[in-house]
Structure formats: C-alpha cells, structure tokens
Amino acid sequence: MKDNAILEYDRTFVWHPYASLTNPPPVRLAKSANGVEITLADGSRLIDAVASWWSVAHGHNHPKIVEAMRKQGERLSHVMFGGFTHEGAVTLAEKLAAIAPDGLNKVFLADSGSIAVEVAVKMCLQYQNAKGRKQRTKMLALKGGYHGDTACAMALSDPDGMHTLFAGMMPKHFFAEKFSAKFDIEELVMFAETLEKHRDEIAGVICEPVFQAANAMWFYSPVYLTYMKSMCAAADIPLVFDEIAAGFHRTGPLWAHRAAKVTPDIMCVGKALTGGHCTLAATIASEDVARTISEGTPSAFMHGPTFMANPIACAAANASLELFAEGDYEAKANGIEKILAERLPPLKALANVKDVRVKGAVGIVEVERMPRVDDIERVIRDNGVWLRPFCNYIYTMPPLVADARAVEKISSAIADLASAPPGDEIADGDFHE
Ligand SMILES: *Cc1c(COP(=O)(O)O)cnc(C)c1O
C-alpha cells in the first residue's frame, strides 16, 4: 500500500486510542524503529521521548529481544496454557519470582496491564471469600491513580478523572485522598479512617507506589506505603502495588516501592516487562495469598485468558529481563534524572509553567494551559522529538538507554513546547496519556 493510501485508510477505518474518527488527531506513519528513534515514512526520525507509553526500556527493536521472539515463533508460537505449559513461561515465572519483593513468587501471566490489575482484584476477592468474608467485595484505591482502561481497572482509577463518562456502569469502590510529596500525618489518618470505616467491605487496597503516572503525573512520599502495609496487615487486607508504570527502574530503583522498604501482598507489572516489544503483564502473589485462595471454594483461581503466557511474549520478556540483569539500569535512570533535574526546573520561570517534577527517568512540566495542537506538531517536527503531552502535562519518560545527547534534545523540545503560547482549551483527544 502507498503511504498516502495508508494514511487515508487510517482516517477512514481505524480507531486510535482516545481519538475521534470524524475529527481525528494527527498521526504519523511509522516505518521502522531502532534504539531511541522511530523512523517515519518521509525518512525523518523522531526521538521517542515517551518510550512508546513507557514500555521501550532498552530501546526499539533490541536485537536480543527480536532474535528471541523470532526463534520462539519458529518453534512454538502459541499453545493454550490450560492443560499445557512451556519452558518460556516457567523461566519467566522463575525470573520474576527472583526479582519480585520477598515472599512474592506465584506468577499469573496476563495479556496486558489492565488485565493484570483485574487479576489482582479477583485475587483479593477470592482471598476474602476463602476466609468466609463474602461481604468484602470492594477495593480501596487512591484518588489521582490510574490502573487501566478495562471496566474493573477504570473503576479503581481517579473517580474524577478521564473515566467519569463510564461511572454509570462501573462498580463503586472506596477512595482515599491523594498523598502529598512530603509525608503528612493528617493524610495518613484520613486513609486509616476510610480503611477502618469500611474494613468489613474492603477486599483489597491498591495503589501505584510512589509515582501516580497516567492520571496525576505525581510523586508522593514512600513513607505512606510503610504505614499502609501495616494497616492492611492488621485488617487482613491484601495490599496491591501496581508497578506497571513505575517498575523496572522508571523512578530509579527496580521497583518504586523499594523506597519504602515494604513488600506488598500482590504486585502487578507490565509495560517494560517485554522491553516494550509486545504485550505481556504479570500479577505476582505472595505464598499466603496463593495458598489461601487455593484452600477456598472453588480452590481454582478463576481467570484464564485465551492467550495467557503466549510463548513469543514470554520469550521477549525473558530476553528483556536478561538485559535488565546485565546492565545497571538504576544508574541509567539516575543519569537521565541528573540531566532532567538540571534542564527542566528553570522552566518554572515561564509564565505558562505551574510546576516541574523530576524523579528517575521521569520529567514532568505541568502547564497552566496546554499549547495548541499546531504548536505541539511544530515542536515535534522542529526538534525531532516525539512528545505526547496530555491534560496539563508535558513530560518525558524516555527509553532507559537514552544517552545524554538524546536526553538533552528531549529537554530542549520540552522547553520549546513549554514556551509556546497557551491554547484556549483542552483539545479533543488530548485527555489520555
Ligand atoms: C498503563 C498502566 C496500566 C494499564 O496497562 P495496559 O497495558 O495499558 O492495559 C495499569 N496500571 C498502570 C499504573 C499503568 O501505567
């Protein structure tokens, strides 16, 4: 198909994420990608400052991952996981158990981050059910959070965020106020009160540890997590850490919650798990959660997607985990942080800039008003940097292998966009990540 025809058909037939078909936002035609760059149809290249939604940790088309996928595809591209197992899945579970926090070693492989969250919620419910507490069917989550786009995951995301349209069809859960960057005992007391008030209805507690990504683009003190854990333990409520965005060194340490020196009862990982080469996520449960569920009625854990533990995805994840193990990714994230922490905070002097936040390989410039779509397009083109600002956030979460030159270029592009005149209103389709 000719490039023009591809774009034409795209506008006619294809939904894009959070986009209208009658008034579609601009899309670029990607032809190939390598390292931190995506090559477009006209031969120009863009540095992927978003790591393709934070997943491409080792760079695009990493030869080791591509080769692992190719080899696996030739041998066994898929087999149902009900009644079968295969080496890639077992190796992956073993690797995940080895790097997961202490005591978490029962691995459920899910098809995407949202599904991993749904699985975690079902584990909480079955855990309580097995203990005879059938009225514990709700979750307690944090305002400002994001846990995915499927119905159950939406219902756990910020209740005033981008999913309000669907409020009528979503289950109602409990929410505690968003935590502050500096530990505030009052906020913890409020959390404790909510937990205490509804403890007989709460099956589990879920949060994005330290870094609330897709909704609030916000970092909060890890001290809260330490207390949450002891409160949850006292109430016999499993604590779920959704590390899908923050995990795999995005904020520096392998897991963002390491800053708090606590372990959750269940952890979700996704995004960078395969190094962003294909979709795969995992929900990792503690021995206690797994045993309790298995002693209940039914003793089976009730979830099983068609493409569970797809061998090609497992091969990609195994290769990605080997890359993480071979390199010092914490140092890479800290190196990116150093440049962002130099380059972004001075932007606070700009009239349209409200706040700047940097941690690990995350740089966020919060603006009063997002510049117009035309200006965003110009900045992307002029700088050769792919930015995907949303709501009031101009941000980067680059591939962790981005070198100093790439991070400098990204910082310049962000500065360019933050200096552009503010637009009139939030454009259609600008809502999501
Ligand atoms: C992206 C994300 C999800 C959803 O993952 P998908 O693969 O898009 O379904 C869930 N939780 C967090 C914290 C995320 O950032």
Side-chain angles (χ1 to χ4, degrees):
M1 219 189 291
K2 289 243 168 56
D3 292 348
N4 280 346
I6 296 174
L7 288 167
E8 178 70 33
Y9 285 178
D10 182 88
R11 275 189 297 274
T12 316
F13 300 117
V14 187
W15 294 110
H16 280 264
Y18 287 86
S20 157
L21 261 177
T22 50
N23 181 23
V27 293
R28 280 137 284 267
L29 179 52
K31 284 287 181 172
S32 62
N34 187 24
V36 300
E37 289 183 332
I38 302 164
T39 301
L40 307 183
D42 66 4
S44 65
R45 288 176 304 187
L46 296 177
I47 293 175
D48 188 355
V50 188
S52 283
W53 274 334
W54 330 336
S55 63
V56 183
H58 320 288
H60 286 272
N61 279 57
H62 193 287
K64 183 171 164 142
I65 301 177
V66 172
E67 179 63 8
M69 293 172 79
R70 190 187 62 76
K71 274 193 170 150
Q72 182 61 50
E74 284 171 0
R75 217 168 31 239
L76 174 71
S77 56
H78 189 60
V79 65
M80 63 189 286
F81 211 51
F84 287 91
T85 192
H86 55 88
E87 187 179 353
V90 176
T91 306
L92 177 56
E94 191 195 1
K95 281 185 199 290
L96 283 172
I99 59 172
D102 280 352
L104 267 63
N105 57 13
K106 306 296 186 208
V107 181
F108 190 101
L109 295 168
D111 350 21
S112 71
S114 302
I115 306 298
V117 168
E118 307 251 347
V119 164
V121 170
K122 286 167 87 168
M123 283 180 180
C124 292
L125 193 119
Q126 277 196 241
Y127 176 89
Q128 302 296 355
N129 187 68
K131 295 210 165 187
R133 306 179 191 129
K134 295 196 193 318
Q135 72 290 2
R136 286 199 184 184
T137 57
K138 306 274 184 206
M139 297 293 288
L140 171 58
L142 296 185
K143 289 189 182 167
Y146 174 88
H147 297 287
D149 270 9
T150 56
C152 168
M154 282 198 293
L156 298 167
S157 303
D158 191 292
D160 304 314
M162 62 208 216
H163 296 131
T164 47
L165 174 66
F166 302 103
M169 64 170 269
M170 291 192 297
K172 292 261 177 294
H173 296 289
F174 300 113
F175 286 90
E177 291 302 321
K178 185 168 151 237
F179 293 139
S180 295
K182 225 173 126 250
F183 178 68
D184 178 346
I185 187 87
E186 307 257 316
E187 291 170 12
L188 185 72
V189 169
M190 275 160 61
F191 175 86
E193 283 171 0
T194 311
L195 185 72
E196 198 43 46
K197 190 167 164 211
H198 303 290
R199 73 185 270 163
D200 293 336
E201 295 166 81
I202 294 175
V205 169
I206 186 166
C207 68
E208 292 165 277
V210 179
F211 176 34
Q212 292 186 305
N215 188 284
M217 283 279 161
W218 179 252
F219 303 105
Y220 63 86
S221 165
V223 177
Y224 292 103
L225 300 174
T226 313
Y227 289 104
M228 280 167 87
K229 170 69 184 189
S230 49
M231 289 173 191
C232 286
D236 198 14
I237 293 172
L239 175 62
V240 182
F241 284 166
D242 179 349
E243 288 266 9
I244 291 167
F248 295 113
H249 299 286
R250 183 47 68 186
T251 68
L254 174 61
W255 311 122
H257 75 262
R258 277 203 178 157
K261 305 200 170 40
V262 287
T263 58
D265 301 289
I266 299 172
M267 181 170 83
C268 301
V269 296
K271 290 198 164 97
L273 175 61
T274 63
H277 284 60
C278 60
T279 181
L280 187 68
T283 309
I284 312 168
S286 70
E287 195 82 45
D288 177 48
V289 166
R291 194 180 358 93
T292 304
I293 290 172
S294 305
E295 286 168 358
T297 311
S299 69
F301 177 61
M302 302 298 280
H303 200 85
T306 307
F307 291 107
M308 183 167 178
N310 172 259
I312 298 177
C314 289
N318 280 323
S320 168
L321 293 188
E322 275 163 29
L323 289 169
F324 278 120
E326 286 161 12
D328 187 347
Y329 280 74
E330 182 150 1
K332 292 186 208 299
N334 292 341
I336 292 170
E337 176 181 272
K338 194 157 169 284
I339 301 171
L340 295 177
E342 256 164 44
R343 294 288 310 270
L344 301 187
L347 302 179
K348 276 186 210 163
L350 296 169
N352 192 26
V353 173
K354 217 166 136 187
D355 192 21
V356 173
R357 303 186 278 275
V358 173
K359 188 188 279 296
V362 185
I364 302 153
V365 175
E366 186 174 344
V367 291
E368 298 283 355
R369 279 189 179 286
M370 189 55 71
R372 291 176 312 124
V373 173
D374 292 354
D375 282 316
I376 298 172
E377 288 298 301
R378 178 193 60 76
V379 167
I380 291 168
R381 217 174 30 244
D382 289 359
N383 291 272
V385 172
W386 168 236
L387 295 172
R388 171 90 175 172
F390 71 101
C391 292
N392 286 13
Y393 312 117
I394 300 169
Y395 77 95
T396 181
M397 288 169 69
L400 298 174
V401 296
D403 62 10
R405 187 189 138 270
V407 182
E408 290 285 352
K409 281 195 77 171
I410 291 168
S411 304
S412 300
I414 290 176
D416 193 359
L417 187 53
S419 314
D424 310 324
E425 54 185 305
I426 295 178
D428 216 17
D430 259 9
F431 227 123
H432 192 240
E433 307 155 61

